Structure formats: structure tokens, C-alpha cells
């Protein structure tokens, strides 16, 4: 076993060796010593699930490398001496070997996972392997690999949780300052993955308010691609912290080829970097270091958020299904449960309601077979700060006694008496300029000395990095729950992002962005300890906080404020790449749609809403008798098959970028399925598109029945067909009118 010797030479010595020159200024005596890396055993460490393998090798110099992520390989020890690069020269000159967690320092000069500045002002860190341990529990094997800088006392533990059946590996890093002086973490990624292929197609998700999760496919060239956000909260408004990467292709494929997918569990500023070097593609994922260098005191550790990885050899579809399976088992709070259908008051009543408005809505919801009523914004604030519009009241979470003198318990009890659950809206991180809270605690507002505090929707952000604000926010939730013992659901909203950031409480402003999110999670943990059963929806002007960080505490999200069913095909399609259908709040609203003005048939709106967690968000009195009958019918049929939406496997059949959108969910045993088909544009009634179904058992015979209509659109309706036939070209519903839609239920004989 070779030992590696490192000579640390003073810059002065390098520049002015003993040649007669003398250095300007103070020339110190050379005090450098040779530090030796302790001897380690070269070895391969395999982190593996049933179908995915992440291979690390400790090389002869003790450096931890990563040379494989993907297909399981027999006899992985053969990777021991593999360099994992497309050029040797790159490695020798630039130290660009496939590092498992590269640091600023040594020969490495590409995008690092870790950049540390030490108390003496130096920036070099070179980690070597000191050991690893493996433990297993409940189908998850955890491997922790320990690394240490060979000069300073900085230590890093890389943690990899391999979810065996789900084929997902969740990883994060833990950075410990074992020295006696503070250090500064300038970059501190959760996870790093070097990938070796000839071509890379990146799929990522960008958006805006009411325009979330647009799918972008992009071939990566020889440069750096960064996906990030710097807006602090509502962090997924512009970009989602997740991606898919198709290997050795420039063409996106749902069903074929190798795909790596990753999602960061962090509800704040994030950074995903794809650094294509001559040797490979290096992916680093973690908290965005923007304005967030983190000072780590002697003895302290920093635990980075989880990065969730998977790999598929069957295209993007399988990568999504792996993530969904993991989400249901552990990634989403209550991810294995079925959330109730509901009527939400927002688009039906906005701020204008009294008890009668609400009890009438409850009667109508019960009449249509819905299972919950949710009272949205507008129930709190009094006097000049009454929440009668969005200009006042946030922060003052007392019941608005003028609007609802009967109290929340009266409404909740009314719902329960009708057999419905009850939910209520809060936005506890916010305060409107006009509120008692602003007057009482101006120091709780996110602000910077002497500067304008910009409003957004007339509101300011509370500084959740401050423990006093954390207590307040927990208290808002807690007191709301005390308004009635019949509160089953909370919609937690968050309608702005960070401007002019600053915290009156923080001594070190660099901590604000990180500690805001940590504070948010602390509050959510406290809430879950006290209220494990309550269903919590995460809303942030719709889908501006959709990530696996908050989903560890929430049951679902409000996917978008855009309830136009045609727009929703695209938004929900994009969301489905990373997140399961069970979390997607998906509501039928009135036409003309309040956001887009578009008019779509009620059936189209229902069929689309039924691809997620079905709800309605309208004034039921605005529906005609005929529409009510259709609503009843769609709700009833959804309740019969919705376990497929919540627990089945998703197959995306046609992307809504085309003139059609089609998808299906198949039960785990492949005996039942539901297929949705939406026509988005009229072309010709002569053109009939054939759908190739997916995920069925080729040998089983399925009875196919169209739901929600008396005028079936497929010639084979009510017939029995093999999975083989349905998956290979025999299924061609006649759907040609603009916004015609169909739902088919399949059950094996
Ligand atoms: C945000 C939410 C909506 C609704 C309103 C209430 O816009 O996304 O669903 O709750 O706030 O003000």
C-alpha cells in the first residue's frame, strides 16, 4: 500500500527559492511540515438497491471516488482501479478524477461539493477515507462513509440510504469542524454525482405564478448549467429543485433508455449544477450558497438536506415511478393514505361570505358526495384590519366576529353533522402592513436597516429564522386547531418571496436564508408531534413550494392557482415527473375560468381533476341541474377507482405539448387500471389517434368500461381485451372534438 506524502510549501518559497532573490516584506522562515495521509485499504463500497447500484472506490491514496451509478454490476470490485474519465490527461493535469465529494483544494478545480475557508484564511481541503459503516432497517440500508481532511480537523460523513424495493438512494452530507477555531463553509452540497456518458439530455422544470412546472428538455454542452433559486421562500415559483437526465441521447423518451433523476428536499434557495468537463458530467446538488456562507464553530456540525436519486433503464417513466413509490413509502407525510375529496370556498366565495353562505356550500358539497369542506381566506381579522380583502389582517388570527359571529366550531360542526370533514386556511408566515401584529412586532418582519420593506400582495414576510417567530407561527397553527375540535385539514399558504433580506434577530446575516428554512421545518416538526393526524396542504400562491423538504410534513400541495383545466394538463403533467398524483390538489372550477377566461366542458374539467386529488372550487349554486347530475356521477366513479390514483403506477402516454394528453394509473398487481384521454385541439373528425397503453399484464384480459358518460367513444367499450392488444395498438377512442375527454376503467377478468 502506497503512502501519499504531501509537501506543503510556502508561497514565498515557491516564488523565491534559494537563488539570491529576497522576498519583499517580511520573509518568514519556512515552517512547513510534511503531512502524511494515514494508510488506508483500497476497496470498493457498493451502495445498492434491488435494481440500482452506486459504486465508490477508495483509491490507493485514500481518495474516495465514484465510478458508477446505474445498472447493478456483478463483481463490482473490478472497479477498484477504474478512473472513470474520458481522458487520462484531464485527471493528471486538473485532478478531474471522478471524486465522490470533491473539495476546493489540491488539484481539483471544477465545481466543488465543498468549499471551506479556514480561520487562517486558507481554502484548501483534501479529504481522504477513514472508514465506513452499514446498517439496515425496514427495507432501507444506510451506508455512511467517513472522510477527513489530512491537514485540518475537518470531517465529512457522506450518508446514503438505499431504499431497496423503490430503487431510490437518498443522500446527504454532514460536515463537522473538529478543529479549535471556526471555519466558513462557502459551498456545502448535499450530494455529488459524476456521470460518464457521451450525451446528456437534461429535463428540468421552470415556471411562474399560475404557470408552474413547465417541462424543458435541453442537451447539455461543454459548459456549466445551473438551476437555482434565490428568492428564499416560495422557492419553486421559478424553478423546481429536481431534474431528469437522459444518458447517451438527445431525444427524450418516456419508455426507453437510461435516465437518472434527482430531487432536493429543501424549501429554500437551492442550486443544482451540471458541470460538463472533458472527462464527464459532474452533478452537485444542495443549498444555494448565495449570501449564505455558513460559519461553523469549533466542534459543530452542519447537516445538509437530502438529495433523492434514482435510475431507470426504461426511460423517464420508470424514473418517475421510482420516485413516486419512494414518496408514498416515506417521502410524503401520510403518503400511503387517501386524502378526501373536497369543496374549497375560495373561487366560489372569495372574501364574501357569512355563515349561511358556508353552510349552503356544505349542504351542496354533501349533496354531491364530496367528503370535506375547506374554508379558505377571509375568516379572521377585526375592525380596521378585518380580512375583507387582501390588504389587511394577516397576522391577526382571531375570528372575524362581524362575518362569522357563530364561530368556526359552528361551521365545522355543521360540516361534521352532514358527514363532511372540515378544513381551514392560514398563512402564518405573513403579516400585512395593516395589522395589529405589524404594530406590535415590527422587529419580526424580514427587513434591512433603513431600507424600504417591499410589499407583495400588501404583505411582508415574518422572520422565521427567529425562534420567537417560530413560536408565534406554531401558535397560529395551534390556536387555529383550538377553534374547534372538528378541524381535520389545514391549508397552509405562503404568498410571497424574500426581498431586501435581513433579520433583526440574526447576528450573522449570512445565516438568514438557511435558518429561515430550518426554522420552518422546526415549526412543522412541532406541529406533527402534536397533530399527527391532521391533513395539511402546502400552498404557496399555488405550486410555489413544491419540494420534498416540506412534503415530509404535508400530505398534499395546491398544485396551482390556475384552475383552467387545459392549463392544468400541462402543470400536472410537469409535476408528475417528480411528485406523485396523490399530492396534487386538483379542483373543478366554474367557467369562464376566473384566471384564463376559457370555457371548457364540465366533463373535461372533472376528468382532468380526477387525475389528482379531486376537489371542487366554485359556488355549487352556479351549476345547472344537469351539471349537478354529471358532477355526482364523476365524484361517485372517482371514489370507486381513486385508490389507483393514490397508490397505482403512473404511465404518461401522450404529453400535453401535443394536441392530446393521455395518462393512466395501474394497480400494483396490474389487475386494474384507469386511463384518461383528453383532446386539446380539433384537427379533423377523420383523425383517430391510437393510444398505446402501458404497464398492463400482456397475458391478462381486461374488461374496458368508459366512465362518466352514456355515449362511449371507443368501439370496444364493455368488451374484454388482452393487455397485449391494448398496449400494442388496438386502443383508439374516437375523441376529436375540442376538449372532448374520456376516462376508462380496466379490470382483469
Ligand atoms: C393564494 C392561494 C389561493 C387562495 C388565496 C387566498 O393565492 O394560492 O388558493 O387560498 O391565496 O387569499
Amino acid at each position: 500500500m502506497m503512502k501519499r506524502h504531501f509537501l506543503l510549501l510556502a508561497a514565498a518559497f515557491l516564488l523565491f527559492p534559494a537563488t539570491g532573490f529576497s522576498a519583499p516584506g517580511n520573509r518568514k522562515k519556512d515552517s512547513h511540515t510534511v503531512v502524511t495521509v494515514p494508510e488506508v485499504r483500497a476497496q470498493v463500497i457498493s451502495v445498492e438497491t434491488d435494481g440500482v447500484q452506486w459504486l465508490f472506490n477508495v483509491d490507493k491514496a485514500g481518495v474516495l471516488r465514484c465510478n458508477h451509478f446505474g445498472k447493478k454490476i456483478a463483481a463490482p470490485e473490478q472497479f477498484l482501479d477504474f478512473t472513470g474519465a474520458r481522458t487520462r490527461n484531464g485527471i493528471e493535469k486538473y485532478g478531474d478524477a471522478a471524486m465522490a465529494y470533491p473539495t476546493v483544494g489540491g488539484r481539483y478545480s471544477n465545481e466543488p461539493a465543498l468549499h471551506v475557508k479556514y480561520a487562517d484564511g486558507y481554502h484548501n481541503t483534501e479529504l481522504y477515507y477513514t472508514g465506513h459503516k452499514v446498517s439496515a432497517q425496514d427495507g432501507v440500508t444506510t451506508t455512511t462513509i467517513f472522510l477527513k481532511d489530512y491537514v485540518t480537523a475537518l470531517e465529512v460523513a457522506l450518508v446514503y440510504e438505499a431504499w431497496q424495493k423503490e430503487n431510490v438512494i437518498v443522500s446527504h452530507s454532514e460536515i463537522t469542524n473538529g478543529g479549535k477555531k471556526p471555519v466558513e463553509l462557502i459551498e456545502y452540497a448535499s450530494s455529488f454525482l459524476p456521470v460518464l456518458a457521451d450525451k446528456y439530455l437534461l429535463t428540468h422544470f421552470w415556471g411562474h405564478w399560475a404557470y408552474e412546472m413547465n417541462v424543458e428538455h435541453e442537451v447539455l454542452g461543454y459548459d456549466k448549467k445551473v438551476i437555482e433559486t434565490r428568492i428564499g421562500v416560495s422557492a419553486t415559483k421559478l424553478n423546481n429543485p429536481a431534474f431528469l437526465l437522459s444518458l447517451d441521447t438527445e431525444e427524450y423518451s418516456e419508455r426507453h433508455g437510461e435516465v437518472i433523476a434527482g430531487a432536493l428536499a429543501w424549501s429554500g434557495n437551492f442550486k443544482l449544477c451540471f458541470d460538463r468537463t472533458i472527462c464527464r458530467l459532474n452533478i452537485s446538488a444542495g443549498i444555494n450558497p448565495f449570501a449564505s456562507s455558513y460559519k461553523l464553530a469549533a466542534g459543530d456540525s452542519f447537516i445538509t438536506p437530502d438529495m433523492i436519486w434514482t435510475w431507470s433503464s426504461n426511460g423517464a417513466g420508470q424514473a418517475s415511478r421510482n420516485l413516486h413509490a419512494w414518496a408514498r413509502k416515506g417521502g410524503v407525510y401520510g403518503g400511503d393514505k387517501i386524502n378526501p375529496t373536497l369543496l374549497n370556498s375560495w373561487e366560489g366565495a372569495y372574501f364574501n361570505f357569512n355563515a349561511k353562505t358556508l353552510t349552503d356550500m356544505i349542504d351542496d358539497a354533501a349533496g354531491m358526495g364530496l367528503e370535506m369542506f375547506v374554508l379558505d381566506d377571509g375568516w379572521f381579522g377585526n375592525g380596521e384590519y378585518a380580512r375583507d380583502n387582501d390588504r389587511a389582517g394577516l397576522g391577526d388570527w382571531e375570528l372575524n366576529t362581524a362575518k362569522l359571529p357563530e364561530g368556526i366550531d359552528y361551521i365545522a360542526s355543521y360540516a361534521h353533522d352532514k358527514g363532511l370533514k372540515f378544513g381551514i386556511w392560514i398563512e402564518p408566515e405573513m403579516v400585512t402592513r395593516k395589522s395589529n401584529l405589524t404594530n406590535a412586532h415590527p422587529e419580526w418582519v424580514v427587513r434591512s436597516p433603513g431600507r424600504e420593506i417591499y410589499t407583495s400582495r400588501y404583505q411582508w414576510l415574518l422572520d422565521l429564522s427567529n425562534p420567537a417567530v417560530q413560536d408565534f407561527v406554531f401558535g397560529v397553527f395551534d390556536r387555529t386547531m383550538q377553534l374547534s375540535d372538528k378541524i381535520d385539514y389545514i391549508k397552509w399558504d405562503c404568498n410571497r418571496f424574500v426581498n431586501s433580506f435581513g433579520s433583526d434577530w440574526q447576528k450573522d446575516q449570512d445565516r438568514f436564508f438557511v435558518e429561515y428554512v430550518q426554522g420552518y421545518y422546526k415549526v412543522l416538526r412541532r406541529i406533527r408531534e402534536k397533530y399527527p393526524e391532521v391533513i395539511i396542504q402546502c400552498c404557496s400562491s399555488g405550486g410555489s413550494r413544491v419540494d420534498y423538504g416540506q412534503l415530509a410534513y404535508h400530505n398534499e400541495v395546491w398544485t396551482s392557482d390556475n384552475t383552467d383545466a387545459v392549463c392544468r394538463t400541462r402543470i400536472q403533467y410537469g409535476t408528475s415527473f417528480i411528485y406523485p398524483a396523490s399530492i396534487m390538489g386538483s379542483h373543478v372550477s366554474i367557467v369562464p375560468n376566473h384566471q384564463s377566461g376559457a370555457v371548457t366542458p364540465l366533463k373535461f374539467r372533472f376528468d382532468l381533476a380526477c387525475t389528482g386529488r379531486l376537489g371542487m372550487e366554485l359556488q355549487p349554486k352556479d351549476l345547472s341541474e344537469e351539471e349537478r347530475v354529471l358532477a355526482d356521477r364523476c365524484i361517485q366513479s372517482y371514489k370507486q377507482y381513486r385508490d389507483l390514483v393514490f397508490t397505482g403506477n403512473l404511465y404518461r402516454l401522450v404529453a400535453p405539448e401535443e394536441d392530446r394528453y393521455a395518462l393512466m394509473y395501474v394497480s400494483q398487481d396490474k389487475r386494474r387500471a384507469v386511463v384518461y384521454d383528453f383532446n386539446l385541439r380539433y384537427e379533423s373528425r377523420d383523425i383517430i389517434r391510437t393510444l398505446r397503453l402501458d404497464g398492463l399484464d400482456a397475458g391478462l384480459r381486461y374488461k374496458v368500461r368508459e366512465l362518466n358518460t352514456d355515449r362511449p367513444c371507443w368501439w370496444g367499450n364493455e368488451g374484454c381485451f388482452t393487455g397485449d392488444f391494448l398496449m400494442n395498438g388496438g386502443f383508439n377512442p374516437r375523441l376529436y372534438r375540442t376538449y372532448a375527454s374520456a376516462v376508462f376503467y380496466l379490470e382483469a377478468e
Side-chain angles (χ1 to χ4, degrees), residues 261-297:
L264 185 74
W266 185 245
S267 310
N269 290 344
F270 67 85
K271 179 178 160 194
L272 304 175
C273 181
F274 303 83
D275 185 15
R276 189 170 181 188
T277 71
I278 192 73
C279 291
R280 74 185 66 71
L281 178 73
N282 290 325
I283 308 172
S284 60
I287 293 174
N288 196 329
F290 164 70
S292 297
S293 84
Y294 201 90
K295 280 50 154 216
L296 205 55

Side-chain angles (χ1 to χ4, degrees), residues 346 376-377 425 457 491 493 495 539 541-542 558 561:
W346 182 241
D376 211 282
D377 199 351
W425 181 96
R457 207 191 186 201
K491 175 175 174 180
D493 212 337
N495 282 310
C539 174
S541 312
W558 178 223
D561 273 355

Side-chain angles (χ1 to χ4, degrees), residues 290 496 617 690:
F290 164 70
R496 66 157 298 158
E617 189 164 331
T690 300

Side-chain angles (χ1 to χ4, degrees), residues 1-4 36-42 60-62 128-130:
M1 214 60 54
M2 266 175 54
K3 278 188 179 179
R4 193 168 55 145
T36 308
V37 177
E39 194 166 309
V40 295
R41 185 173 62 86
K60 292 170 188 158
Y128 72 95
Y129 167 90
T130 60

Side-chain angles (χ1 to χ4, degrees), residues 468-723:
V469 176
Q470 292 162 19
D471 286 345
F472 170 79
V473 170
F474 172 79
V476 172
F477 192 103
D478 200 28
R479 281 197 308 280
T480 306
M481 289 298 292
Q482 311 306 322
L483 291 171
S484 165
D485 61 359
K486 301 180 186 70
I487 295 180
D488 306 291
Y489 176 104
I490 296 276
K491 175 175 174 180
W492 176 314
D493 212 337
C494 171
N495 282 310
R496 66 157 298 158
F497 47 86
V498 180
N499 297 138
S500 295
F501 73 93
S503 158
D504 279 21
W505 186 79
Q506 289 286 355
K507 289 197 186 67
D508 173 3
Q509 296 301 321
D510 287 357
R511 292 221 163 185
F512 168 75
F513 280 120
V514 171
E515 294 196 352
Y516 186 101
V517 182
Q518 289 174 335
Y520 172 55
Y521 294 154
K522 268 188 211 157
V523 173
L524 289 169
R525 268 195 295 277
R526 263 173 91 180
I527 287 170
R528 277 316 186 183
E529 267 162 33
K530 187 158 180 190
Y531 300 106
E533 295 302 327
V534 69
I535 303 167
I536 313 181
Q537 181 187 69
C538 176
C539 174
S540 181
S541 312
S544 295
R545 210 182 218 176
V546 181
D547 64 71
Y548 278 122
Q550 58 78 9
L551 277 168
Y553 308 97
H554 292 87
N555 304 68
E556 62 170 35
V557 302
W558 178 223
T559 321
S560 176
D561 273 355
N562 187 342
T563 58
D564 177 318
V566 177
C567 301
R568 274 297 186 110
T569 59
R570 188 187 38 70
I571 295 168
Q572 294 183 193
Y573 167 75
T575 308
S576 82
F577 278 74
I578 306 295
Y579 306 98
S582 55
I583 68 145
M584 288 188 232
S586 181
H587 297 177
V588 173
S589 57
I590 208 71
V591 288
N593 182 272
H594 289 186
Q595 291 86 29
S596 68
V599 176
T600 47
L602 185 64
K603 180 166 187 304
F604 185 95
R605 281 175 275 150
F606 257 106
D607 289 350
L608 195 274
C610 287
T611 65
R613 193 275 293 132
L614 171 67
M616 293 179 79
E617 189 164 331
L618 44 66
Q619 170 52 268
K621 304 227 172 316
D622 293 340
L623 295 175
S624 68
E625 213 25 65
E626 197 187 333
E627 287 176 320
R628 288 280 276 259
V629 171
L630 179 62
D632 280 13
R633 185 172 184 174
C634 296
I635 293 165
Q636 294 321 319
S637 70
Y638 176 78
K639 289 202 268 191
Q640 302 300 311
Y641 69 72
R642 69 173 154 188
D643 61 301
L644 297 171
V645 181
F646 279 79
T647 64
N649 280 319
L650 164 73
Y651 292 85
R652 291 179 290 258
L653 304 177
V654 185
E657 289 122 25
E658 301 172 36
D659 51 8
R660 193 87 168 234
Y661 177 46
L663 68 158
M664 63 189 287
Y665 300 106
V666 182
S667 65
Q668 298 298 332
D669 65 5
K670 301 189 175 192
R671 297 193 63 83
R672 296 162 63 232
V674 57
V675 180
Y676 304 85
D677 192 4
F678 304 90
N679 196 47
L680 301 179
R681 193 173 64 211
Y682 175 78
E683 287 186 334
S684 158
R685 66 171 184 254
D686 291 344
I687 297 175
I688 302 172
R689 184 163 184 159
T690 300
L691 291 180
R692 291 167 65 98
L693 301 191
D694 204 352
L696 301 173
D697 182 328
L700 284 177
R701 287 177 71 84
Y702 296 88
K703 176 150 191 193
V704 182
R705 187 159 48 89
E706 187 175 347
L707 305 175
N708 306 342
T709 185
D710 295 325
R711 300 176 63 193
C713 65
W714 186 45
W715 56 267
N717 193 44
E718 299 286 347
C720 283
F721 300 88
T722 61

